Amino acid sequence: MTVDNGLKNSHGLDNIGSSEKSSHYINTNKYRNLYVVIEIVDGMAIPVNYEMLGEARRLMDGFNARYNSNEKVIALVLGENVKEMCNEFIYHGADAVIFADNTNLKYLLNQTCTKVISQMVVDKKMIAVISPEYASEFEKPRYMFFAADSIGRHLSATVLAELDSGLASDVNKLSIADLDIKHQYKTNGQTVRYEKILEIYRPDFSGFLWTTILCLDNKSPEIKKDYHPQACSIIPGAFIPIKREANRRGIIVEYTPKFDQQDLRIKILNRTIIKDKIDFDSHKVVISFGRGVKENPEENIKLIESLAKLLKAEIGISLPISKKIFPLDERINSTYIIPSRVIGTSGRKITPKIYISIGISGAIQHLEGMKESEFVIAINPDENAPIINECDVLIRGKMEDVIPVLIDEIKRIVSPLEVQASKK
C-alpha cells in the first residue's frame, strides 16, 4: 500500500528547475533528524535493520555536509530486554538510540507499537538530550524509515496515519534534493522551491520504469498544510549495511511508554514461526517463469514442472504472474501462483548455482532478486529482452519448443549415469 500525499513522477508536476520561483514559506525547522524503526524478533535484530541504518547514515552524512547542519540518525527500539543491544545500532550507523523496554512490547503488536512510536518521535524531552540545539522548535521527525516486511508494512501505514503524513511503500533507492515544483493545487500553479525533499524510488508495476514518490507540503495559501515526516518502508536487501565500528559512540536514551488499559486488550500467549514451505536456499537450481507462458499457460507450466522435477529444482515466478493474470486450475494456482514464490525486490532474493529464466523479460525488480546467481540461463524468443544482459547463456526460442528438447537431452545424458551409479 502507498499512502502518498505527495506526487508521483510527472503527474501534475511541471517546470522542475524553472527560474520562476514563488516565496511561499513553511517553517521546516520544526522537522529534524532521520528516525529508523528497528524490528526485534525473538530477541534478535533482523538484518534489514542494519541495511536501513547504513543508508540512513549515508544520506544524513551528505545532508549535514550540504546544509551545514547537525541532524542525527536515531534508531527507535521497542521490545523486552532490549537495552543491551542498543550499542549495536550505534556501531552500525546510528547517532542515538531511543529505546522502550517493556514486557508489553515483547511482541510487536501493531496497535500498541503504533501508539508508542507516535509518542516517542514527538517527545521534546528526547530531542533535548539528543539534539539540544533543535529542541525549542522541534515538532516531528524530518524523515522516517521502516522495514518493508510483514511487520513494517503494516506499522508504517498506521504510524504515518497517526502522524498525519505520507508514506511510500517497498522502496529500494533514495536521495535528498532541493526541487523547484509547479503544481495546480499544492503550489497554486506557481513554481515553488521545496528544500530537503526525500526522493523515493521504486519500480512501477511493469518493473521496467522507476516511479519517483515525493511527500510534499501544500504551499498554496488556501490549503496550506505540512506533511512531515517524509517516510518510506524499505525492501530488505535493497541497501548495504556500513561496516560495524565498535569504537563509535552515541547517545542512548530510555523512553517510558504510557499505556491505557484499552491498549493491552490483545495479548499474545504463544508464538511459533512457521517456516516458508518454498525453500529456495536448499536447491542448487531454481527455475522461474513469467508472462511468456501466456500462449498456453497451463500446458507451459506443466512443462516447467517436468523440467524442475528432472533437475530437482525449485520453481519461482515473476511479480506479474503472482497477480493471477491467467486462468489456471486450482492445483497450479495454489501450488505456484503464490507470493512466496516471487523472485525480486517484492519477493525473494536468491543465489542458486544455476538460475533458469523462462519467459521472463527481465524487469528491474526481478533482476535485483536473481542477479547473484552463479550461472544464468534464459529461454526467451526476444533477443532484446533485458534479461539477456544478466544471463550467461541465451536459448532463443519459445518455451514450448525448447523445454521438450531440454528434457529429452537431460534424460539421455542422465540415464546412463544413473545406470553406472547403480552398478557401483
Side-chain angles (χ1 to χ4, degrees):
M1 180 180 78
T2 299
V3 180
D4 179 22
N5 290 309
L7 302 165
K8 290 187 180 183
N9 282 355
S10 58
H11 300 304
L13 197 71
D14 299 314
N15 296 346
I16 293 182
S18 168
S19 59
E20 314 175 15
K21 300 186 184 80
S22 170
S23 58
H24 293 293
Y25 177 71
I26 288 178
N27 178 16
T28 60
N29 292 332
K30 298 183 292 185
Y31 312 116
R32 299 287 185 179
N33 304 321
L34 192 165
Y35 289 68
V36 178
V37 177
I38 300 295
E39 289 185 20
I40 307 297
V41 179
D42 292 338
M44 302 288 289
I46 61 176
V48 69
N49 293 323
Y50 302 116
E51 295 163 13
M52 292 191 293
L53 286 171
E55 183 63 10
R57 179 76 275 145
R58 285 184 282 268
L59 284 171
M60 293 313 287
D61 283 348
F63 178 100
N64 288 328
R66 179 175 181 178
Y67 298 109
N68 192 28
S69 60
N70 187 32
E71 298 198 26
K72 304 291 199 298
V73 174
I74 302 174
L76 299 179
V77 184
L78 282 67
E80 185 180 40
N81 301 323
V82 294
K83 183 177 181 179
E84 295 306 313
M85 62 178 69
C86 288
N87 276 316
E88 275 304 313
F89 306 124
I90 301 289
Y91 301 158
H92 282 87
D95 297 300
V97 179
I98 304 174
F99 74 96
D101 199 323
N102 190 289
T103 188
N104 293 311
L105 299 172
K106 180 177 181 180
Y107 302 109
L108 299 180
L109 284 169
N110 186 269
Q111 181 177 336
T112 310
C113 291
T114 295
K115 182 170 185 176
V116 174
I117 291 170
S118 300
Q119 292 170 354
M120 292 169 85
V121 299
V122 298
D123 192 302
K124 288 200 172 189
K125 292 178 183 176
M126 300 291 107
I127 291 300
V129 176
I130 296 168
S131 298
E133 66 270 47
Y134 301 135
S136 61
E137 289 187 280
F138 176 82
E139 288 186 8
K140 290 182 184 178
R142 186 183 296 282
Y143 312 117
M144 282 187 81
F145 289 175
F146 298 78
D149 58 14
S150 57
I151 294 171
R153 284 190 180 107
H154 193 184
L155 189 57
S156 58
T158 51
V159 168
L160 268 297
E162 191 72 23
L163 297 175
D164 195 20
S165 191
L167 169 73
S169 302
D170 292 11
V171 310
N172 55 9
K173 184 180 175 185
L174 294 162
S175 62
I176 295 170
D178 297 339
L179 303 173
D180 297 328
I181 291 175
K182 181 178 179 180
H183 186 262
Q184 182 178 358
Y185 300 109
K186 285 190 171 287
T187 70
N188 205 24
Q190 298 183 56
T191 301
V192 175
R193 168 59 59 96
Y194 282 84
E195 296 183 343
K196 303 166 186 171
I197 298 301
L198 186 64
E199 293 185 294
I200 305 166
Y201 299 88
R202 56 164 292 166
D204 70 353
F205 178 73
S206 74
F208 292 102
L209 300 173
W210 288 100
T211 296
T212 308
I213 303 173
L214 310 175
C215 183
L216 301 176
D217 299 330
N218 291 344
K219 295 195 177 187
S220 176
E222 295 80 11
I223 55 170
K224 196 169 185 178
K225 183 176 180 179
D226 293 12
Y227 289 111
H228 279 77
Q230 301 171 53
C232 63
S233 63
I234 292 174
I235 293 171
F239 298 112
I240 300 170
I242 63 172
K243 184 179 179 182
R244 181 182 185 272
E245 293 183 23
N247 61 347
R248 286 192 91 251
R249 295 292 176 263
I251 299 167
I252 298 175
V253 189
E254 182 167 11
Y255 177 82
T256 304
K258 303 173 185 68
F259 299 107
D260 296 328
Q261 215 38 51
Q262 188 176 356
D263 301 328
L264 307 176
R265 288 179 303 169
I266 300 172
K267 291 186 182 294
I268 296 177
L269 303 178
N270 188 29
R271 178 174 178 270
T272 302
I273 297 177
I274 300 171
K275 287 193 72 174
D276 195 329
K277 65 178 182 179
I278 312 304
D279 184 11
F280 290 111
D281 296 336
S282 66
H283 289 79
K284 294 180 180 179
V285 181
V286 174
I287 300 174
S288 289
F289 65 89
R291 284 179 287 192
V293 300
K294 61 187 176 183
E295 288 189 12
N296 196 340
E298 207 157 287
E299 290 306 312
N300 284 336
I301 292 170
K302 287 177 181 176
L303 274 176
I304 292 164
E305 202 173 26
S306 299
L307 180 61
K309 186 177 180 181
L310 193 59
L311 295 174
K312 296 182 173 61
E314 187 55 274
I315 294 177
I317 59 173
S318 65
L319 178 62
I321 287 290
S322 71
K323 308 302 180 184
K324 300 190 175 182
I325 54 178
F326 302 121
L328 298 165
D329 72 36
E330 182 54 33
R331 183 192 70 84
I332 291 176
N333 259 327
S334 60
T335 305
Y336 299 115
I337 317 303
I338 53 176
S340 55
R341 289 192 184 272
V342 173
I343 305 298
T345 54
S346 297
R348 300 280 295 277
K349 189 172 184 179
I350 59 170
T351 56
K353 288 190 175 295
I354 299 174
Y355 182 74
I356 303 175
S357 159
I358 300 177
I360 294 176
S361 52
I364 298 164
Q365 67 88 18
H366 182 78
L367 297 180
E368 285 296 317
M370 49 64 66
K371 66 182 182 181
E372 300 300 324
S373 305
E374 287 188 27
F375 194 83
V376 178
I377 300 168
I379 300 172
N380 201 305
D382 181 6
E383 63 182 7
N384 297 313
I387 191 73
I388 306 310
N389 298 319
E390 294 292 332
C391 73
D392 298 285
V393 172
L394 166 65
I395 302 175
R396 186 183 172 194
K398 291 184 175 182
M399 65 183 75
E400 302 95 308
D401 301 328
V402 173
I403 296 175
V405 174
L406 276 179
I407 289 172
D408 289 344
E409 284 299 304
I410 292 168
K411 284 180 177 177
R412 185 178 65 80
I413 295 167
V414 169
S415 293
L417 295 176
E418 288 178 344
V419 171
Q420 288 176 21
S422 65
K423 287 180 179 177
K424 291 178 183 179

